[in-house]
Amino acid sequence: MSNFVKDADWLDWHPSPSKPNYTLPAGAVDAHCHVFGPGAQFPFAPERKYTPCDASKDQLWALRDYLGFSRNVIVQATCHGADNRALVDALNHSSGMARGVATVKESVSDAELEALHQAGVRGVRFNFVKRLVDALPFDALTRIADRIKELNWHIVIYFEGQELPELYDFFTSLPTTVVVDHMGRPDVSKPVDGPEFKLFLQLMRDNEHFWSKVSCPERISLAGPTQHYQDVIPFARTVVEQFPDRVLWGTDWPHPNMKTHMPDDGQLVDMIPLFAPTVELQRKLLIDNPMRLYWS
Ligand SMILES: O=C(O)c1cc(C(=O)O)oc(=O)c1
């Protein structure tokens, strides 16, 4: 039994997602998902901002197989802080079919970084979403960035659209490939060709080492699931069409901190052809790009 009691308003991941109508190409990668615990085996971090339900590696593999994915990129969830044991355990039991993005503190040793690499970690995540973490100072992040560059890892950044002007110069100073989570969380009530999203597109255009995940319509949408998250489509499609070789897609399972509803993962997969309308764009998004970044 876990000692952890999930938050009172916690929404559990969908127990019976629909079978997608869209058939994923063979070898597709779910390039953004998480594992939570199980808390009894891998305790959640004392500094966490939320306590989730469990979401184990075996439950993730079951979803992978059910939806038709071949591989996963597991991103360290903030509820585990910089304790990457649940992530590493999942990677070690993936038969090479999962890679990871870790969270590390500046105190991490070279031997620990090397062990993470051996397990399949290929990046670190810097989180700037204030409800999720106590932010590390920029100079500490810079020192971590310089060290992981030596391993040929990349940096995943998570921030919300309105924070981009303030963070822009720091982001472009980073010395590695940089992957932006969830399209930089645009405010989709604003126009796709308005100044806020233009700044994000400029970041991508002027910095060819920046990539973007076109993920999380369920978080970004104001229209919601009954409207099939349609307000997110123009944003995601713009990013895919302008930067076809630098985009990734992921379920975001088990969808931490969703408050309005829990998405149906099958419905999320059915958004892929709306984001990437041609077979070639789908192949890049789901296979070529994640394979190049994580498995080459
Ligand atoms: O928006 C979020 O609440 C969220 C949280 C986490 C995490 O806790 O790691 O990861 C995500 O990709 C999104």
Side-chain angles (χ1 to χ4, degrees), residues 10 32-34 36 49-50 75-80 103 125 127 129 131-133 158 160 181-182 185 213 215-216 219 252-253 255-258:
W10 188 262
H32 185 100
C33 48
H34 312 282
F36 298 152
K49 304 292 185 207
Y50 61 86
V75 177
Q76 172 77 350
T78 58
C79 57
H80 280 293
T103 295
R125 192 182 200 200
N127 207 316
V129 178
R131 73 184 157 80
L132 293 175
V133 284
Y158 188 23
E160 294 183 325
D181 272 342
H182 318 326
R185 296 285 308 250
K213 290 176 195 162
S215 43
C216 279
R219 287 184 196 286
D252 190 39
W253 187 89
H255 311 285
N257 302 309
M258 286 299 294

Side-chain angles (χ1 to χ4, degrees), residues 11-20 59 62-64 66-67 253-255 262-270:
L11 295 184
D12 291 3
W13 42 275
H14 201 301
S16 51
S18 58
K19 214 44 168 177
Q59 289 163 329
L63 180 77
R64 174 197 67 195
Y66 176 79
L67 295 175
W253 187 89
H255 311 285
M262 181 48 56
D264 169 344
D265 299 280
Q267 188 185 8
L268 295 179
V269 170
D270 279 334

Side-chain angles (χ1 to χ4, degrees), residues 48-68:
R48 69 189 180 281
K49 304 292 185 207
Y50 61 86
T51 304
C53 65
D54 286 335
S56 72
K57 59 180 183 296
D58 292 325
Q59 289 163 329
L60 177 60
W61 310 151
L63 180 77
R64 174 197 67 195
D65 296 346
Y66 176 79
L67 295 175

Side-chain angles (χ1 to χ4, degrees), residues 130-151:
K130 294 184 183 86
R131 73 184 157 80
L132 293 175
V133 284
D134 301 317
L136 286 180
F138 287 153
D139 52 348
L141 296 178
T142 302
R143 286 193 289 271
I144 293 170
D146 287 339
R147 285 178 64 202
I148 62 103
K149 180 181 183 328
E150 301 304 313
L151 293 160

